[in-house]
């Protein structure tokens, strides 16, 4: 006995929605999914007519669905947005080169312009070369810091007003959990924000139109729409600790499917005591990017790579900032400490 | 005694990596006294198809949370999940949501 | 999504227990008996001092309990609350300067009826605890949870807080107390302690019906916690206590914090896990065991022969995935094994949180959750998880694109939204005006509680097959609130300025 769609009450349902428990047929699901993203965009006032928007595209499921839905809604509701795909080439052979092929196909399919910025052109280092120097332990730190800035630099080259990313509800909920587990109150407070205002020159405002879309629905949307996406794990092993939070979240979802939204609701309503010290944002004195320290993380990491002291940017080494800025040499003891690489 | 079942299995979203990268499998489940259900299918897959790291595919007697299952293109949650009785020519799809963004 | 979206520099220390020296780190003489954290080993005597000091210090630095105040200790019979009871006894036997200065009483709530224990088992547990309580000489109350069915509606109304006693007066009152005669022994009780309470079978059946109307263990556990809390507050109020002392250990609170977070109680985290909780107004709950880890409690109880019982509860012998609470507990326990700083890191997070301050200054009862009594967290922006869920519920039941025009509310006067005309009903209007229209309950409920509940308690009610088994005091208070809201709506058109609507 097939389950009928809760919405049209005519067709056979193809999925059970985790957020609400309703069963929907394919057509009603497409409509509801797209409409919800639209409602999110309207309610949070993510865009203004005439804006130029870069869609961060990795070729994975989230950004592929994001590009598809943004293109569709821009036409359906006449947002008047100028959309561009923006990709970062981290220089990971066998992973990013393949996924960029997917992005290039998306470019054809959606008829959107595409801009690719590479770590190599921006920093002079590919991830392959970085891993060769730092090993597999802290490589994700480099990649994460560099990507954040790379997207901004690409956006500035394209002169876009905003970047939208494919973060979904699961990602946001997972980040809330991570920040609690790490006791990172500053990030905990801001990680549920749907958009970031421009924090200064060189930083382009970002937003997450899929913030309230479940991963399950994104994957099923891509599956039923037969969207072309790339689904291989990065070859440089992911952060194990985050894996615990992910597993916990997926288990929670299986116990109570609304958990993911419930955690986001929690995150949105947290209230931090006055008097809890929060880092003050300034700008990097070398590249001008936002930073709570004299030098931004990206510049410190790069300095470490170029000097052959890869641990410079790992952990807290604020006391070295002055030395780097005034180009003083490190002592032998300091060098030794910063050189050691554990595998 | 139930007759052997010919079914079509598909792995996607990265789940295929646990099956040597092969996405589509046409398999025949041997005849047995009880009708085949999804729970037994998972055991059969684990014994006959799964190439590595079973913990990334199954957990307890179900699939690992984060792997979506579609039976004849419908969410298995609508079909009775593990208790669904397989029919000849059924199409079962496993998609991982855990890979890439 | 890539895992490295945000970078975190702090290393999360893995469990590497260094080889421990055999001498106590404190006195450097005696042989160590207890390993508290990696590297910190204490001898028996120093551990006892450390443990007792922490308890006193937690109470001391928070300055919430005033000298001579009546404090009701909620003892569940488990390790942590029994250890707390032991600490209070210790504190009363100290010399004058270190002596605890409040008047303790004990309450035990027997939940056996809700958990499905037999009358004999329940009586056995009560008799064992009675012996423990008697030995303390404190006033004590043994109450079956069934009594919750007869509570007055005032339990779910936050009472007015007594005039606040300033921190500065604390010291003066302490001094005053020290100079006067400071006997804190309670007067001999008039209560007949030999008789254990008798429970009517029909009451147990009603309680069980109520528990069974919750379809998930998650909701059942929430319901049980809520009822227990109500009964505790009622006991304190009617017996003249102004403080309720809860035995949550640090480990318990870390689990509770993550559980509350997962259940959508972000706005209530500070009250759920902080040192003191004033949601009931006149009765303040305090958690003086919050600095003690479960491991320390276990060692202490073992070394100093603190009696505690194992009392089965709803999730006893259940699998990890039986409920959100159960899953979270097993997650924290496993993570703690691998990363020993897990519990203390989560706990530190709780110290930095405060209660969300959305409560209107009028202290209107409509603004507080009918079940947990926290300030409602449902009046949120359009761009929020709560509203997004309401929109999803609506979109999942309206056939598209046949939009029911009666439900469509225009997105009013927002500059950016004019070009993106909101086609669908503003869910906010739906939630507030038509109450039940967003509910996906198949049959009309006799009464819709959703508008009276916080986000998380709405989830609990959603998991219930029916609300008709809820105790009368909850249902009658709900009716009273509904009537008041209706009345206010009726008279609102006659008022020139309703004042609090935005």
């Amino acid at each position: 006995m097939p389950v009928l769609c809760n919405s049209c009450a005519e067709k056979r349902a193809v999925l059970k929605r985790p957020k609400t428990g309703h069963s929907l047929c394919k057509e009603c699901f497409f409509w509801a999914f797209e409409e919800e993203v639209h409602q999110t965009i309207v309610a949070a006032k993510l865009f203004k007519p005439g804006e130029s928007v870069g869609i961060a595209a990795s070729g994975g499921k989230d950004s592929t669905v994001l590009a598809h839905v943004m293109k569709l809604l821009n036409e359906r509701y006449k947002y008047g947005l100028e959309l561009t795909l923006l990709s970062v080439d981290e220089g990971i052979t066998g992973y990013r080169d393949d996924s960029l092929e997917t992005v290039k196909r998306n470019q054809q399919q959606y008829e959107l312009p595409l801009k690719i910025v590479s770590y190599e052109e921006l920093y002079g280092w590919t991830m392959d070369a970085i891993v060769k120097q730092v090993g597999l332990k802290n490589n994700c730190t480099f990649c994460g810091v560099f990507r954040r800035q790379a997207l901004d630099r690409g956006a500035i080259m394209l002169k876009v007003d905003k970047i939208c990313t494919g973060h979904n509800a699961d990602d946001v909920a997972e980040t809330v959990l991570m920040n609690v587990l790490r006791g990172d109150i500053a990030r905990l407070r801001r990680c549920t924000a749907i958009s970031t205002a421009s924090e200064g020159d060189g930083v382009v405002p970002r937003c997450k139109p899929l913030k309230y879309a479940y991963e399950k629905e994104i994957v099923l949307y891509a599956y039923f729409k037969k969207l072309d996406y790339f689904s291989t794990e990065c070859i440089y092993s992911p952060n194990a600790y985050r894996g615990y939070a992910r597993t916990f979240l997926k288990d929670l979802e299986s116990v109570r499917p609304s958990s993911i939204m419930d955690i986001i609701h929690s995150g949105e309503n947290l209230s931090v005591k006055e008097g809890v010290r929060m880092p003050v944002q300034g700008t990097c004195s070398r590249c001008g990017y936002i930073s709570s320290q004299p030098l931004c993380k990206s510049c410190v990491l790069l300095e470490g790579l170029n000097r052959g002291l890869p641990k410079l940017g790992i952990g807290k080494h604020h006391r070295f900032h002055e030395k780097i800025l005034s180009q003083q040499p490190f002592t032998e003891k300091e060098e030794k400490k910063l050189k050691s690489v554990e595998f | 005694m139930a007759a052997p079942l010919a079914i079509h299995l598909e792995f996607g979203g990265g789940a295929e990596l646990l099956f040597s990268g092969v996405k589509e499998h046409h398999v025949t489940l041997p005849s047995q006294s009880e009708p085949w259900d999804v729970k037994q299918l998972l055991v059969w897959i684990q014994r006959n198809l799964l190439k590595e790291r079973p913990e990334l595919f199954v957990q307890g007697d179900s699939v690992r949370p984060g792997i979506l299952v579609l039976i004849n293109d419908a969410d298995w949650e609508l079909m009775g999940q593990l208790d669904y009785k397989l029919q000849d020519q059924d199409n079962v799809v496993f998609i991982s949501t855990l890979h890439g963004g | 999504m890539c895992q490295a979206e945000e970078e975190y520099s702090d290393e999360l220390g893995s469990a590497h227990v260094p080889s421990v020296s055999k001498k106590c780190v404190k006195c450097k003489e005696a042989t160590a008996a207890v390993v508290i954290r990696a590297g910190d080993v204490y001898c028996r005597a120093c551990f006892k001092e450390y443990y007792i000091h922490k308890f006193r210090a937690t109470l001391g630095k928070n300055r919430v309990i005033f000298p001579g105040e009546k404090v009701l200790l909620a003892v569940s019979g488990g390790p942590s609350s029994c250890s707390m009871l032991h600490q209070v006894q210790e504190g009363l036997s100290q010399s004058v300067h270190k002596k605890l200065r409040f008047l303790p009483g004990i309450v035990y709530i027997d939940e056996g009826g809700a958990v499905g224990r037999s009358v004999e088992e329940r009586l056995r547990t009560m008799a064992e605890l009675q012996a423990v309580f008697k030995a303390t000489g404190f006033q004590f109350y043994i109450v079956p949870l069934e009594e919750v069915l007869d509570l007055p509606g005032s339990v779910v109304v936050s009472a007015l807080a007594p005039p606040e006693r300033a921190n500065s007066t604390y010291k003066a009152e302490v001094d005053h107390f020290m100079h006067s005669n400071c006997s804190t022994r309670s007067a001999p009780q008039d209560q007949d302690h030999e008789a254990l309470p008798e429970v009517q079978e029909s009451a147990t059946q009603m309680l069980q019906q109520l528990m069974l109307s919750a379809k998930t263990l998650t909701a059942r556990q929430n319901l049980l916690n809520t009822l227990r809390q109500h009964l505790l507050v009622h006991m304190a109020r009617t017996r003249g206590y102004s403080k309720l002392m809860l035995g949550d250990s640090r480990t318990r609170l870390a689990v509770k914090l993550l559980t509350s977070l997962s259940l959508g109680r972000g706005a209530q985290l500070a009250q759920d896990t902080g040192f003191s909780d004033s949601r009931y107004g006149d009765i303040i709950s305090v958690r003086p065991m919050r600095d003690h880890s479960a491991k320390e409690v276990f060692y202490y109880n073992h070394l100093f022969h603190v009696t505690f019982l194992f009392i089965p509860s709803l999730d006893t012998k259940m699998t990890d995935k039986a409920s959100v609470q159960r899953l979270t507990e097993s997650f924290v326990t496993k993570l703690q094994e691998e990363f020993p700083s897990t519990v203390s890191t989560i706990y530190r997070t709780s110290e930095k949180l405060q209660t969300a301050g959305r409560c209107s200054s009028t202290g209107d009862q409509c603004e507080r959750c009918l079940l947990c009594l926290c300030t409602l967290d449902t009046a949120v922006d359009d761009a929020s998880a709560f509203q997004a869920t309401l929109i999803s519920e609506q979109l999942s039941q309206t056939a598209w694109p046949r939009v029911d025009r009666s439900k469509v509310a225009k997105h009013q006067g927002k500059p950016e939204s004019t070009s993106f005309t909101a086609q669908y009903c503003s869910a906010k209007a739906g939630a507030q005006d038509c109450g039940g229209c967003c509910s996906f309950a198949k049959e009309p409920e006799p009464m819709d509680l959703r508008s009276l509940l916080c986000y998380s308690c709405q989830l609990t009610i959603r998991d219930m097959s029916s609300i008709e088994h809820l105790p009368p005091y909850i249902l009658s208070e709900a009716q009273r609130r509904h009537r008041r809201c209706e009345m206010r709506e009726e008279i609102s058109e006659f008022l020139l300025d309703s004042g609090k609507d935005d």
Side-chain angles (χ1 to χ4, degrees):
Chain A
M1 181 64 193
V3 178
L4 283 184
C5 172
N6 283 139
S7 186
C8 66
E10 284 163 17
K11 292 200 203 99
R12 185 178 81 122
V14 296
L15 91 156
K16 191 164 178 199
R17 307 198 74 186
K19 210 190 291 182
T20 65
H22 291 98
S23 308
L24 293 184
C25 72
K26 213 180 268 187
E27 295 306 314
C28 290
F29 165 57
F30 291 154
W31 175 259
F33 183 88
E34 292 153 8
E35 219 33 49
E36 282 164 26
V37 178
H38 170 62
Q39 292 292 344
T40 303
I41 290 171
V42 173
K45 299 171 193 154
L46 295 186
F47 310 110
K48 292 193 183 97
E51 273 182 338
S52 165
V53 177
I55 302 170
S58 67
K61 56 181 168 22
D62 300 306
S63 60
T64 302
V65 168
L66 178 67
H68 176 89
V69 173
M70 282 301 292
K71 159 108 178 158
L72 184 143
L73 292 176
N74 193 29
E75 285 164 9
R76 184 184 292 168
Y77 292 107
K78 304 194 171 41
Y79 290 171
L81 301 177
E82 200 180 306
L83 302 174
T84 310
L85 297 174
L86 175 55
S87 288
V88 176
D89 182 358
E90 297 94 343
I92 305 175
T93 316
Y95 170 65
R96 188 50 91 214
D97 44 357
D98 291 351
S99 58
L100 282 174
E101 289 308 312
T102 314
V103 180
K104 284 174 194 163
R105 285 198 301 278
N106 288 343
Q107 175 196 7
Q108 304 295 320
Q109 289 150 0
Y110 305 143
E111 297 169 312
L112 294 174
L114 165 66
K115 167 80 184 170
I116 301 176
V117 286
S118 73
Y119 282 8
E120 190 161 28
E121 71 181 276
L122 293 178
Y123 309 108
W125 288 82
T126 63
M127 271 313 285
D128 286 340
I130 291 171
V131 169
K132 232 178 226 167
Q133 195 188 103
V134 308
L136 284 172
K137 188 140 179 254
N138 291 307
N139 58 315
C140 292
T141 304
F142 285 86
C143 198
V145 172
F146 286 171
R147 180 169 331 99
R148 186 177 162 78
Q149 218 180 82
L151 272 180
D152 280 324
R153 299 236 217 145
I156 287 165
M157 288 181 215
L158 282 172
K159 298 195 173 65
V160 296
D161 302 299
K162 266 164 200 163
I163 302 171
C164 58
T165 59
H167 290 96
N168 60 39
D170 297 53
D171 295 325
V172 176
E174 179 188 293
T175 306
V176 171
L177 289 176
M178 278 308 290
N179 287 328
V180 170
L181 293 175
R182 288 180 159 129
D184 190 333
I185 206 84
R187 281 201 176 88
L188 182 59
R189 201 161 68 159
R190 58 175 194 250
C191 70
T192 48
I194 191 164
S195 55
T196 58
S198 179
E199 295 159 276
D201 290 342
V203 184
V204 180
R206 295 187 182 201
C207 63
K208 307 170 184 151
L210 301 182
K211 181 187 171 190
Y212 298 119
Y214 269 55
E215 188 167 65
K216 171 178 172 176
E217 296 202 351
I218 289 173
V219 172
L220 288 179
Y221 186 88
Y223 176 80
F224 289 130
K225 284 266 177 187
K226 301 193 167 48
L227 300 184
D228 181 8
Y229 74 89
F230 182 80
S231 58
T232 303
E233 199 63 70
C234 175
I235 54 170
Y236 299 131
S237 70
N239 179 338
Y241 198 77
R242 203 171 248 275
Y244 289 101
R246 194 58 155 196
T247 306
F248 176 53
L249 189 72
K250 286 283 140 192
D251 285 343
L252 274 175
E253 187 187 3
S254 66
V255 175
R256 179 182 258 188
S258 68
S259 293
I260 288 170
M261 285 300 255
D262 303 342
I263 291 173
I264 300 176
H265 174 80
S266 279
E268 286 173 346
N269 288 282
L270 282 180
S271 178
V272 175
K273 260 185 200 160
E274 284 166 43
V276 172
R277 219 170 54 93
M278 293 291 166
V280 186
Q281 296 285 24
T283 52
C284 171
S285 51
R286 180 168 287 183
C287 72
Y289 196 74
I290 45 153
S291 169
S292 52
Q293 300 298 327
L295 276 173
C296 74
K297 196 82 178 168
S298 174
C299 283
V300 179
L301 287 171
L302 208 52
E303 180 86 13
L305 285 172
N306 292 335
R307 287 210 197 186
L309 304 171
K311 289 191 92 181
L312 191 57
I314 312 293
K316 295 207 157 101
H317 296 299
H318 302 152
R319 60 207 161 91
F320 295 132
H321 286 205
E322 288 308 312
K323 274 199 169 173
I324 299 171
L325 281 170
S326 56
Q327 298 194 317
Q328 287 172 44
F330 290 122
T331 65
E332 209 171 292
K333 206 175 144 198
E334 286 167 347
E335 287 226 353
K336 204 176 154 200
K337 203 178 152 209
L338 296 171
K339 219 174 237 167
S340 62
V341 175
E342 297 144 44
F343 283 94
Chain B
M1 199 70 176
L5 293 180
I7 61 166
H8 178 230
L9 300 175
E10 197 181 318
F11 301 94
E16 70 275 16
L17 298 177
L18 303 170
F19 299 86
S20 317
V22 181
K23 287 194 170 185
E24 307 216 7
H25 300 251
H26 291 274
V27 302
T28 305
L29 304 175
S31 98
Q32 59 172 32
S33 51
E34 301 279 305
W36 281 89
D37 60 20
V38 175
K39 193 169 174 175
Q40 294 163 330
L41 174 67
L42 290 176
V43 176
W44 187 89
I45 290 174
Q46 213 178 332
R47 286 197 191 135
N48 297 281
L49 291 180
L50 201 58
K51 299 293 182 204
E52 53 182 321
R53 314 212 30 207
E55 75 280 6
L56 296 184
F57 187 70
V58 286
Q59 204 179 80
D61 55 9
S62 189
V63 292
R64 179 185 178 206
I67 294 182
L68 302 180
V69 185
L70 297 163
I71 300 168
N72 299 328
D73 258 6
D75 194 342
W76 76 329
E77 291 182 47
L78 300 169
M79 317 282 283
Q81 291 172 298
L82 292 170
D83 299 328
Y84 172 79
K85 301 277 179 286
L86 288 161
Q87 313 286 318
D88 198 46
Q89 302 305 322
D90 269 351
N91 183 47
V92 186
V93 182
F94 298 88
I95 317 173
S96 172
T97 65
L98 304 167
H99 292 274
Chain C
M1 271 284 107
C2 174
Q3 320 282 311
E5 195 52 43
E6 293 194 53
E7 55 79 29
Y8 297 84
S9 49
D10 293 55
E11 299 268 323
L12 296 139
S14 304
H16 288 301
V17 184
S19 58
V20 291
S21 72
K22 293 275 193 265
K23 291 273 178 263
C24 171
V25 294
K26 196 89 179 285
C27 63
K28 313 248 186 317
E29 282 169 13
T31 309
V34 182
V35 184
I36 293 170
R37 287 173 299 265
D40 276 5
V41 293
Y42 282 72
C43 69
R44 203 183 135 95
C46 290
F47 173 63
K48 185 173 188 183
E49 198 178 312
Y50 159 87
Y51 194 89
I52 293 175
H53 172 78
K54 267 214 291 203
F55 183 81
R56 296 182 42 81
T58 306
L59 282 176
K61 85 173 169 226
N62 286 288
R63 298 190 163 193
V64 173
I65 298 180
F66 282 71
E69 209 173 349
K70 281 181 81 180
V71 177
L72 190 58
L73 280 61
V75 176
S76 70
S80 192
S81 59
C82 285
S83 208
M84 171 176 83
L85 174 59
H86 191 81
Q87 290 302 296
V88 172
Q89 283 179 276
E90 279 284 334
L92 291 174
S93 64
Q94 297 273 338
S95 62
V96 175
H97 280 275
K98 287 189 167 179
K99 194 174 169 110
L100 291 176
R101 302 172 198 100
F102 55 81
L103 299 167
I106 305 170
V107 62
Y108 166 73
I109 295 187
D110 163 35
E111 297 165 11
V115 175
R117 303 181 76 205
S118 70
V119 178
E120 293 73 36
E121 288 172 314
R122 295 175 68 178
L123 281 172
R124 196 175 336 119
T125 302
M126 286 192 271
E128 282 179 66
L129 284 172
Q130 191 183 42
V132 174
F133 297 163
K134 253 188 186 172
T136 63
F138 303 160
Q139 176 93 45
F140 67 89
Y141 312 92
I142 292 178
V143 192
L145 185 64
E146 281 84 345
E147 287 196 13
V148 84
L149 298 168
D150 300 320
L151 292 188
S154 58
V155 169
V156 278
V157 179
S158 176
L160 278 181
E164 203 163 306
R165 298 206 238 185
N167 230 338
S168 53
T169 65
Y170 180 83
K171 184 129 198 354
E173 295 207 24
V174 170
D175 289 343
H176 173 78
F177 189 81
M178 302 272 278
H179 290 116
S180 63
N181 173 17
C182 47
S183 158
T184 45
R185 282 290 139 140
S186 313
Q189 297 95 41
D190 39 37
Q191 196 180 337
D192 177 11
H193 275 150
E194 297 308 320
L196 287 170
E198 273 178 43
V199 184
Q200 297 234 309
E201 209 182 310
S202 59
T204 306
Q205 277 170 0
M206 279 165 77
L207 184 63
Q208 276 168 353
Q209 249 177 343
L210 169 58
M211 296 313 288
L212 286 176
S213 60
K215 292 178 289 181
T216 60
L217 184 61
T218 305
R220 214 170 293 155
Q221 285 180 285
N222 282 341
L223 197 60
L224 178 59
N225 289 341
T226 305
L227 298 177
R228 181 199 306 118
Q229 196 60 37
H230 291 169
L231 188 51
L232 285 174
V233 169
H234 174 74
M235 286 303 293
R237 268 197 194 134
T238 51
R239 304 303 193 275
Y241 291 84
S242 50
K243 295 279 167 4
L244 199 52
M245 206 179 250
L246 309 174
D248 301 288
S249 69
R250 174 190 294 197
T251 312
R252 187 75 242 144
L253 287 172
V255 171
K256 211 167 174 181
L257 183 128
L258 214 53
T259 305
S260 282
L261 189 87
S262 307
L263 291 172
R265 299 184 56 81
Q268 299 90 351
L269 279 187
Q271 282 154 304
D272 286 354
T273 63
F275 173 76
S276 71
D277 174 358
S278 56
R279 74 180 78 171
Y280 297 96
D282 54 346
I283 308 291
I284 313 282
S285 305
V286 294
R287 302 184 175 92
M289 296 296 286
R290 70 195 307 269
D291 274 333
H292 299 72
S293 74
K295 190 178 172 186
E296 287 166 9
V297 170
F298 175 80
Y299 277 135
Y300 185 90
N301 289 354
H302 181 73
L303 289 174
F304 304 102
H305 313 293
V306 176
T307 314
F308 63 92
L309 305 180
F310 175 77
I311 301 169
S313 189
L314 285 175
D315 62 351
T316 303
K317 289 192 193 158
M318 291 284 186
T319 62
D320 282 356
K321 290 225 245 162
S323 71
V324 169
Q325 295 89 334
R326 176 79 196 192
L327 178 68
T328 311
E329 183 175 3
S330 101
F331 171 71
V332 172
T333 312
K334 283 178 192 157
L335 204 61
Q336 171 74 12
E337 255 166 53
E338 224 161 314
F339 303 94
S341 59
T342 301
V343 163
S344 41
T345 307
I346 299 175
Y347 164 82
R348 275 206 306 280
T349 307
S350 85
E351 286 191 311
K352 292 172 190 157
L353 298 174
Q354 70 175 7
T355 310
R358 277 215 181 83
C359 191
S360 70
S361 52
T362 55
D364 196 318
Q365 291 304 334
C366 274
E367 302 275 333
R368 280 180 182 270
C369 175
L370 179 67
L371 290 182
C372 73
L373 274 90
C374 287
T375 309
L376 288 188
D377 55 355
T378 47
V380 289
D381 295 343
D382 285 354
S384 64
F386 182 58
Q387 292 300 335
T389 304
L390 291 179
I391 288 175
S392 290
E393 286 181 3
Q394 282 176 319
L395 285 170
S396 304
Q397 338 183 61
T398 6
W400 69 278
R402 281 178 281 124
V403 183
D404 181 0
R405 283 285 151 195
S406 67
K407 285 184 187 168
V408 175
K410 279 262 180 282
H411 242 73
Q412 327 89 323
K414 289 168 189 162
E416 283 86 353
S417 65
T418 45
S419 61
F420 314 153
T421 320
Q423 287 215 336
Y424 265 90
C425 113
S426 146
K428 193 165 193 168
Q432 286 173 351
D433 300 342
C434 50
C437 85
C438 309
S439 158
F440 61 88
K442 301 271 182 304
E443 295 145 38
E445 293 278 37
M447 182 169 27
D448 181 36
L449 295 183
R450 270 170 74 138
S451 62
L452 305 177
L453 300 172
C454 72
Y455 181 95
S456 185
C457 291
Q458 286 189 17
L459 297 175
T460 302
I461 294 295
R462 192 190 63 187
D463 278 1
M464 291 180 71
S465 54
S466 136
I467 58 166
E468 63 184 276
H469 299 297
L470 284 174
Y473 71 94
I474 294 178
L475 293 176
S476 60
E477 172 63 16
Q479 256 163 3
R480 194 186 70 84
R481 290 192 197 181
H482 271 308
R483 274 200 305 273
R484 276 195 55 170
C485 287
E486 277 164 24
M487 254 167 66
R488 194 171 25 217
E489 245 158 60
E490 275 168 29
I491 62 165
S492 67
E493 49 193 289
F494 302 112
L495 297 175
L496 291 174
D497 182 13
S498 58
K500 61 190 284 279
D501 296 326
D502 58 8

